[in-house]
Amino acid sequence: MTVPSDIIARLLGAWSLELNTYSATLRLCLSVLLSAVIGWERASKRHSAGLRTFMVVTFAGTVAMMLDILLNTVFGGTLFLLSAASVVSATIIAANSLFFSSRNQIRGITTSGALWGCCLLGLAVGAGFYTLSLAGTFTLLFCLSVMPSLENYLKDRSNHFEVHLELKNSRCLQNFVTTIRRLGLKIDAIEMNPAYANSGLSVYSVSISISSEELKKYKTHCEIIEALRTLDYVYHIEEI
């Protein structure tokens, strides 16, 4: 199988375009190296899937693609069944990395997507698409490590946000709602968190919209939450 349009393959030579002992070794090493970069980024932030998980998923995708190429070459087929199976398996693994936190939030979505993306990178490496693999890895790493800062900035400037609220007792909820309205905010939804049922606290997930034009211009979510934190009956509050 040749990939004449791949710049890195042309620089390496004809041997890297074919599937042989040397190119297979290169692809496996490259697969492990690239996935280690992504896995290290996730592990450094203590996410559910870490270094080894990313390496294994990407390695499996690379091996599956190379086996499909060999089988198609030997038997004259055109099906990539093992590659398809590896994508399905990666999807299952990614789905299992999702979980609900004690604050009724779905966690692990980004890590789940990154796992699935790394499987596709493994397929690209196994097929000998070296340039695409490198470009894909750096793009994925950029999305995971750089874009969160922009995402947080945009979220902090949004007119809608959600907070985890712990009140000292349930009777304080009415006072909290009254204060919210006086500040020029609107409560879209309030949901009691059952995970704290026996803690002695009244814990809620509260969706808030900023309705005041002045707040929209001059206040961030952090400043609003900091002001709410000063209320005597608020035990703890933070954005989620």
Side-chain angles (χ1 to χ4, degrees):
M1 181 178 180
T2 60
V3 191
S5 60
D6 192 282
I7 299 174
I8 296 177
R10 290 205 304 268
L11 293 174
L12 292 173
W15 66 271
S16 65
L17 295 171
E18 302 172 354
L19 188 55
N20 50 57
T21 302
Y22 300 107
S23 64
T25 303
L26 171 64
R27 294 175 192 185
L28 290 174
C29 292
L30 184 61
S31 170
V32 171
L33 177 62
L34 295 181
S35 60
V37 174
I38 303 299
W40 172 82
E41 192 280 337
R42 293 285 87 187
S44 66
K45 297 178 180 178
R46 302 186 67 81
H47 289 283
S48 54
L51 181 65
R52 291 181 298 171
T53 305
F54 277 89
M55 292 173 68
V56 169
V57 168
T58 311
F59 175 83
T62 301
V63 172
M65 176 57 76
M66 290 194 296
L67 283 175
D68 274 336
I69 294 173
L70 285 174
L71 291 173
N72 288 332
T73 301
V74 173
F75 298 104
T78 57
L79 298 177
F80 289 82
L81 298 179
L82 294 176
S83 299
S86 69
V87 174
V88 173
S89 300
T91 303
I92 295 173
I93 294 172
N96 288 333
S97 69
L98 299 174
F99 64 95
F100 280 93
S101 70
S102 61
R103 298 176 183 181
N104 290 330
Q105 281 187 301
I106 299 178
R107 309 286 294 181
I109 295 178
T110 302
T111 299
S112 177
L115 275 172
W116 190 76
C118 273
C119 178
L120 298 182
L121 287 175
L123 295 177
V125 174
F129 299 135
Y130 304 107
T131 304
L132 174 62
S133 303
L134 288 173
T137 300
F138 287 120
T139 302
L140 181 57
L141 184 62
F142 175 82
C143 293
L144 294 174
S145 59
V146 178
M147 294 306 291
S149 298
L150 176 60
E151 183 180 19
N152 290 335
Y153 173 81
L154 294 176
K155 285 175 63 178
D156 202 38
R157 294 296 175 179
S158 169
N159 293 330
H160 306 277
F161 62 102
E162 188 173 359
V163 298
H164 170 81
L165 173 66
E166 299 177 10
L167 299 177
K168 294 181 179 179
N169 60 71
S170 59
R171 295 187 299 274
C172 300
L173 182 59
Q174 184 176 356
N175 294 334
F176 179 80
V177 172
T178 302
T179 302
I180 284 287
R181 291 171 178 169
R182 287 176 179 173
L183 289 175
L185 304 172
K186 175 185 175 184
I187 294 180
D188 298 319
I190 299 179
E191 181 180 355
M192 180 174 285
N193 195 324
Y196 296 81
N198 298 318
S199 66
L201 296 172
S202 296
V203 183
Y204 306 88
S205 295
V206 186
S207 298
I208 299 174
S209 295
I210 303 175
S211 53
S212 168
E213 292 299 324
E214 181 179 356
L215 285 178
K216 289 180 182 179
K217 291 181 180 178
Y218 303 111
K219 297 295 181 181
T220 64
H221 298 175
C222 292
E223 292 172 317
I224 294 173
I225 291 173
E226 191 60 36
L228 295 173
R229 190 174 285 123
T230 61
L231 298 174
D232 293 337
Y233 49 80
V234 173
Y235 184 79
H236 180 72
I237 183 173
E238 62 179 83
E239 186 172 4
I240 56 177

